[in-house]
Amino acid sequence: MKFGYFDDARQEYVITSPTTPLPWINYLGCENFFSLISNTCGGYSFYKDAKLLRLTRYRYNNIPTDTNGRYYYIKDGDTIWNPGWQPVQTELDSYSCRHGLGYSVFTSTKNELTAELTAFVPLNNNCEINRLTLKNTSNQAKDISLFSYIEFCLWNAVDDMTNFQRNFSIGEVEIEGSAIYHKTEYRERRNHYAVYAVNTAIDGYDTDRDSFLGAYRGVNRPIVVEQGKSTNSKASGWAPIGSHNINVTLQPGEEMSYVFVLGYLEIDEDNKWEAPGVINKAPAKEMLAKFETNEQVETALDELKEHWTTLLSKYTVETNDDKLTRMVNTWNQYQCMVTFNMSRSASYYESGTGRGMGFRDSCQDLLGFVHLIPDRARERIIDIASTQFEDGSAYHQYQPLTKKGNMDIGSGFNDDPLWLIAGVSAYIKETGDFGILEESVPFDNDESKAQPLMEHLRRSFNFTRTNLGPHGLPLIGRADWNDCLNLNCFSKTPGESFQTCSNFESGKAESVFIAGMFVRYGKEYAELCKRTGNQAEAELVLAAVDKMYDAVLENGWDGEWFLRAYDAFSEKIGSKECEDGQIFIEPQGFCVLAGIGVKEGLAEKALNSVKERLDTKYGVMLLQPAYKDYHLNLGEVSSYPPGYKENAGIFCHNNPWVSIAETVIGRGDRAFEIYKKTCPAYVEDISEIHRTEPYVYSQMVAGADAPRHGEAKNSWLTGTAAWTFVNVSQYIIGIRPEFDGLVVDPCIPSDMPGFKATRIFRDATYNITVENPNGAQKGVAKLVVDGQEMSGNIIPFVDGKKEYNVTITLG
Ligand code: BGC
Ligand code: NOJ
């Protein structure tokens, strides 16, 4: 069952029913000011940091679900309704929500009145625009009362939810004309305020929530709206809101537009006050002046659309499969960009108050996003590397505002360092910018300890190389990519749980997954050494990589698949000898994509085992059999009920690893089959089962052991976005940046007749046509660049050349 459809021409998903199985959201904002917006107008806004600089209040886990947002109440006679259906939930005569790239449009009708609400964050401006157009389609004049509503958050979102003894007394606002200013804490710790304004004279306002709603009422039936008259309340403590009232008479056929702006302003200390106690409004007025007219708003919206068109033109395909085309050209890249911006902070599953930027998460996000805005990838790399410790290990997370490592979580996730190599190498392949390796970057944000970025990579590599366990495999530490596999969590103290365990540093548990990473990214690091003239280091690195390769074959192979790990007692994890958790997905995918066991024929065996033991119709599960009982010595993994999350859920993030691994051994049919199973556009038809947005990936789909097999959770902010894009764009479609140029090496299903692609790479445009006359799955039989036949599958990069016309024949 579907709740909407893709409008590919406009690059929108059109939701046609407000009662989607879960809120289906979109993100507004590209740089500093962001908003989340659901298909019923729910969500909230923040500036840079969703925890510390939250503009509007959101109620998590609320009932009814998803109530708080930017709401517009239309009172037409006795009928009160909202263009986004919530919060009044009046049945609408028609409804649609179009989520586009950085904007959302709600179009609804009730009793021959049409409302169209367009929401977006304009480029280079710290505000959200809500343009509301009302049109009377009846043949009688209508008297309409319109009320806007947002609820301010007192900036720090955690304090806002907890520190009521203080908060109920600090709220402050100013009202001037049609603008409501939220200035809580401005007199003291803040250098900023928010403004919520409309571009027309108003008939009244409210800034005090209780006055607007009335006692014991919810946002679904504000008393002010019912009575049709604002109270002109001035918030003093309690809960400041912004609400405008506009009364208008619309003649038959007449329409009227209003532009509401919610903005964030920062004021320097010297200019804080206009008069004693009166905030300096000049910067706000300057911002509002930019969005006073419909034309200005149209122009800003066009600029935003243009921005996205330019961005997404860097990689486009034309295939015979609409679902594939739309995911590659639009939605997968869009999600990569959003995930890069948000890391794991703010979604409908991440509260925006918890995690900062993840070291491994951000490095992986880079892989899917780097081609879009390489400069921002560069900046991010420097930020991430600046939090690394001198011994090469890393803070697991850092705070986006301070860019400092998060001490509470600390380090100990032993896969983290190697992801830095992955991110840097992807950046250099994309841009050719080897200069970044010479950039001086501090350790632990201490400038006195700055070293060239290349030295950071060396320490990353050496951290793993020098932290090996009894089988010559990397020590896992607190966990590797799988946060929940905490194998050093054994305890001699009865009653201790994985949450309280503290001895992971001394444990000798080992990870076959990190071994796979070491082989893959060790080779990339060696390549960087060679290309920067350090042959000796390259040789040392490659020798260590070879040794690891052998260690995996010797101690990391279980007969039919790769082992997952050794625990703290050197017992096997992910082996046929185990009762549960006999096979794990991660090492099968990652060892093979690192090339381990390919020539020995083990790769094929491992991937066949994945198909046999982990596959389901909704994707490949993380492990099997699911852990039935809780085992403290395995850590968090077995704390989940079977089929959920890391305990045998379909963890979408590592499905592409297996798909890439399939391309390594040339099985295009199978690679594509795996790709399709978790790909949102292909599961749109079963939205009632899948439940999350059919235009973006979710972190997890419930596995076969779960009662709700096929149900997804945690949409939007997941490494799945980057890895599926790497998979589909670089391995299936097969257009992959390498140091010397663009490689074209597709691995597609045999029934795909070919495709066309356009790739903008280092400022040159590549027009690529791939033909598949003989139903091949992989292998370039013929490569023609600008009429000239060449050998191999790489198009050498020629400095200054702006266009390449490439034809490839598979066979
Ligand atoms: C959660 C995992 C999750 C991880 C994210 C853990 O505490 O329980 O399931 O993937 O945090 O870092
Ligand atoms: C989500 C985390 O953000 C990511 O870092 C981790 O690798 C996966 N969960 C798997 O545990």
Side-chain angles (χ1 to χ4, degrees):
M1 184 181 168
K2 299 206 282 187
F3 296 83
Y5 60 92
F6 286 95
D7 182 339
D8 291 328
R10 298 165 67 149
Q11 298 182 291
E12 293 171 343
Y13 191 82
V14 188
I15 302 166
T16 49
S17 158
T19 50
T20 46
L22 292 163
W24 285 0
I25 74 162
N26 194 12
Y27 284 84
L28 314 179
C30 300
E31 281 195 312
N32 294 316
F33 188 105
F34 295 101
S35 298
L36 284 66
I37 186 164
S38 72
N39 61 307
T40 60
C41 283
Y44 59 90
S45 305
F46 62 92
Y47 177 75
K48 281 190 181 171
D49 185 317
K51 176 176 172 186
L52 298 174
L53 294 172
R54 183 85 64 109
L55 272 84
T56 48
R57 186 175 279 163
Y58 190 71
R59 287 194 177 69
Y60 302 95
N61 219 348
N62 199 17
I63 40 173
T65 192
D66 189 28
T67 37
N68 228 16
R70 68 288 282 150
Y71 291 141
Y72 296 91
Y73 298 87
I74 298 164
K75 184 167 171 12
D76 174 10
D78 289 338
T79 310
I80 297 171
W81 59 284
N82 310 98
W85 181 67
Q86 287 246 67
V88 177
Q89 300 191 354
T90 300
E91 200 178 319
L92 301 171
D93 297 336
S94 74
Y95 156 95
S96 76
C97 161
R98 292 178 167 264
H99 283 322
L101 305 174
Y103 66 90
S104 294
V105 181
F106 301 80
T107 312
S108 300
T109 56
K110 183 75 190 174
N111 299 345
E112 298 179 295
L113 181 70
T114 302
E116 183 176 282
L117 175 68
T118 304
F120 69 102
V121 171
L123 296 173
N124 309 317
N125 280 281
N126 296 321
C127 60
E128 178 183 321
I129 308 275
N130 291 172
R131 183 189 54 198
L132 181 65
T133 304
L134 300 177
K135 181 169 185 180
N136 180 0
T137 58
S138 76
N139 50 22
Q140 273 163 18
K142 277 180 181 283
D143 292 322
I144 308 290
S145 278
L146 173 68
F147 295 86
S148 65
Y149 177 81
I150 56 154
E151 183 178 3
F152 291 109
C153 179
L154 307 182
W155 302 112
N156 179 327
V158 173
D159 240 40
D160 187 70
M161 284 187 285
T162 49
N163 197 4
F164 306 112
Q165 61 80 28
R166 171 179 164 83
N167 294 345
F168 288 166
S169 295
I170 62 175
E172 286 189 282
V173 296
E174 282 182 35
I175 302 119
E176 192 186 290
S178 303
I180 294 165
Y181 295 85
H182 176 229
K183 59 169 186 176
T184 298
E185 289 190 327
Y186 189 74
R187 64 178 66 242
E188 180 231 357
R189 67 188 80 175
R190 304 285 172 191
N191 64 345
H192 49 257
Y193 58 77
V195 62
Y196 183 47
V198 59
N199 66 340
T200 189
I202 55 175
D203 295 292
Y205 61 84
D206 273 287
T207 63
D208 172 59
R209 190 188 66 203
D210 293 350
S211 308
F212 179 76
L213 296 182
Y216 293 92
R217 284 166 173 254
V219 281
N220 60 331
R221 45 185 206 110
I223 192 135
V224 156
V225 181
E226 271 181 26
Q227 294 176 348
K229 197 168 170 23
S230 295
T231 70
N232 295 349
S233 58
K234 182 156 188 206
S236 174
W238 298 110
I241 60 159
S243 173
H244 309 90
N245 171 218
I246 299 163
N247 297 324
V248 60
T249 302
L250 291 178
Q251 297 304 324
E254 191 184 355
E255 72 172 38
M256 200 69 180
S257 285
Y258 304 102
V259 181
F260 294 86
V261 177
L262 171 66
Y264 170 89
L265 288 308
E266 252 172 33
I267 315 292
D268 61 54
E269 202 49 43
D270 298 339
N271 296 310
K272 258 182 118 164
W273 305 102
E274 211 162 82
V278 180
I279 59 172
N280 176 359
K281 302 186 186 70
K285 289 178 182 167
E286 205 177 297
M287 173 190 277
L288 296 174
K290 293 193 215 164
F291 306 105
E292 235 160 38
T293 66
N294 228 339
E295 292 68 44
Q296 286 171 310
V297 171
E298 269 312 309
T299 307
L301 186 58
D302 287 346
E303 279 167 11
L304 179 68
K305 289 183 179 171
E306 188 57 39
H307 165 80
W308 275 105
T309 306
T310 311
L311 269 189
L312 297 188
S313 68
K314 301 233 171 139
Y315 194 123
T316 57
V317 288
E318 282 171 52
T319 75
N320 64 340
D321 180 336
D322 289 349
K323 296 180 173 124
L324 173 66
T325 306
R326 72 167 66 106
M327 285 311 300
V328 172
N329 292 358
T330 307
W331 297 100
N332 199 169
Q333 296 195 64
Y334 183 52
Q335 188 179 2
C336 283
M337 184 74 218
V338 169
T339 308
F340 173 82
N341 283 334
M342 295 289 128
S343 190
R344 305 296 173 270
S345 80
S347 75
Y348 269 32
Y349 305 84
E350 300 281 6
S351 65
T353 62
R355 295 202 261 170
M357 315 288 287
F359 192 99
R360 79 154 83 90
D361 292 338
S362 293
C363 287
Q364 290 174 87
D365 292 346
L366 271 170
L367 307 178
F369 143 88
V370 60
H371 65 294
L372 292 175
I373 316 181
D375 286 351
R376 289 191 63 200
R378 192 182 208 272
E379 211 179 290
R380 181 69 58 85
I381 286 172
I382 306 291
D383 286 350
I384 298 171
S386 306
T387 67
Q388 190 177 23
F389 290 107
E390 279 183 292
D391 70 353
S393 66
Y395 281 109
H396 194 50
Q397 290 173 16
Y398 70 96
Q399 288 312 123
L401 266 191
T402 62
K403 300 190 173 171
K404 294 251 160 65
N406 181 339
M407 312 255 205
D408 298 338
I409 298 167
S411 64
F413 293 82
N414 283 357
D415 61 319
D416 275 332
L418 290 171
W419 290 118
L420 183 63
I421 301 179
V424 173
S425 151
Y427 167 79
I428 298 176
K429 286 178 178 174
E430 179 66 36
T431 57
D433 172 18
F434 279 89
I436 192 175
L437 295 172
E438 288 155 33
E439 216 44 67
S440 170
V441 182
F443 284 102
D444 195 5
N445 282 103
D446 180 345
E447 281 298 340
S448 73
K449 295 182 194 153
Q451 292 279 346
L453 181 63
M454 187 65 174
E455 179 61 22
H456 284 254
L457 301 191
R458 194 173 80 88
R459 301 212 189 163
S460 284
F461 181 78
N462 280 337
F463 178 83
T464 311
R465 188 180 64 80
T466 56
N467 281 288
L468 303 180
H471 299 89
L473 298 167
L475 291 174
I476 200 169
R478 194 139 126 190
D480 60 20
W481 172 88
N482 188 335
D483 280 320
C484 300
L485 198 61
N486 317 116
L487 300 177
N488 291 316
C489 227
F490 61 92
S491 168
K492 298 183 181 76
T493 322
E496 206 172 21
S497 81
F498 71 86
Q499 279 132 332
T500 53
C501 106
S502 54
N503 52 353
F504 58 87
E505 273 155 345
S506 55
K508 60 175 188 209
E510 299 165 89
S511 162
V512 177
F513 170 77
I514 302 181
M517 283 188 79
F518 186 81
V519 170
R520 164 111 186 179
Y521 298 123
K523 284 190 244 173
E524 306 223 349
Y525 169 56
E527 197 55 39
L528 290 175
C529 293
K530 271 192 213 158
R531 285 167 187 268
T532 50
N534 196 344
Q535 190 63 31
E537 170 84 351
E539 276 160 26
L540 286 177
V541 170
L542 290 176
V545 164
D546 283 349
K547 221 168 138 192
M548 186 66 77
Y549 189 108
D550 294 342
V552 172
L553 292 192
E554 203 165 307
N555 299 317
W557 180 252
D558 196 50
E560 298 292 324
W561 56 81
F562 293 99
L563 275 179
R564 178 62 174 88
Y566 287 93
D567 71 10
F569 309 97
S570 281
E571 298 290 338
K572 291 176 184 170
I573 302 293
S575 158
K576 57 180 178 295
E577 294 163 25
C578 304
E579 190 188 328
D580 290 327
Q582 293 177 343
I583 173 171
F584 281 66
I585 193 173
E586 304 98 318
Q588 323 313 327
F590 228 88
C591 289
V592 177
L593 72 78
I596 304 177
V598 175
K599 59 179 188 291
E600 295 84 355
L602 305 183
E604 200 177 325
K605 261 195 188 171
L607 296 176
N608 290 345
S609 300
V610 167
K611 186 170 162 87
E612 200 179 302
R613 291 168 180 260
L614 296 177
D615 213 8
T616 76
K617 63 177 168 180
Y618 301 122
V620 184
M621 294 178 286
L622 194 146
L623 62 86
Q624 275 295 297
Y627 291 107
K628 292 186 278 296
D629 308 309
Y630 175 61
H631 307 273
L632 172 61
N633 60 317
L634 299 177
E636 186 175 351
V637 64
S638 59
S639 72
Y640 287 107
Y644 289 119
K645 297 280 288 183
E646 283 87 340
N647 188 12
I650 296 158
F651 221 91
C652 300
H653 187 140
N654 38 37
N655 275 242
W657 297 345
V658 176
S659 184
I660 295 172
E662 289 286 355
T663 70
V664 170
I665 63 167
R667 299 199 294 202
D669 284 329
R670 174 70 179 146
F672 198 59
E673 183 191 342
I674 296 170
Y675 169 75
K676 286 196 293 190
K677 284 185 181 187
T678 56
C679 185
Y682 293 88
V683 292
E684 186 197 6
D685 286 342
I686 53 155
S687 286
E688 80 287 7
I689 299 174
H690 189 75
R691 302 186 77 221
T692 52
E693 296 91 331
Y695 39 92
V696 290
Y697 284 92
S698 296
Q699 183 200 55
M700 187 216 47
V701 174
D705 301 279
R708 295 177 169 217
H709 184 33
E711 180 187 61
K713 290 197 186 100
N714 199 353
S715 55
W716 281 99
L717 306 184
T718 159
T720 311
W723 273 107
T724 48
F725 191 67
V726 168
N727 177 32
V728 72
S729 65
Q730 300 187 16
Y731 292 91
I732 293 177
I733 296 297
I735 303 174
R736 181 164 66 241
E738 288 291 348
F739 295 114
D740 297 319
L742 211 53
V743 162
V744 186
D745 189 17
C747 184
I748 55 176
S750 48
D751 62 5
M752 192 183 277
F755 56 84
K756 283 189 169 75
T758 307
R759 175 71 158 92
I760 297 174
F761 174 66
R762 302 188 197 166
D763 287 333
T765 303
Y766 291 70
N767 304 308
I768 300 167
T769 304
V770 172
E771 286 159 4
N772 190 18
N774 303 319
Q777 295 181 49
K778 193 178 178 173
V780 172
K782 194 169 161 197
L783 164 68
V784 180
V785 181
D786 295 318
Q788 242 190 317
E789 195 166 336
M790 312 190 81
S791 60
N793 57 18
I794 182 160
I795 309 158
F797 182 73
V798 182
D799 220 0
K801 184 168 161 175
K802 288 287 170 239
E803 194 173 4
Y804 299 73
N805 291 303
V806 183
T807 309
I808 285 202
T809 314
L810 301 182

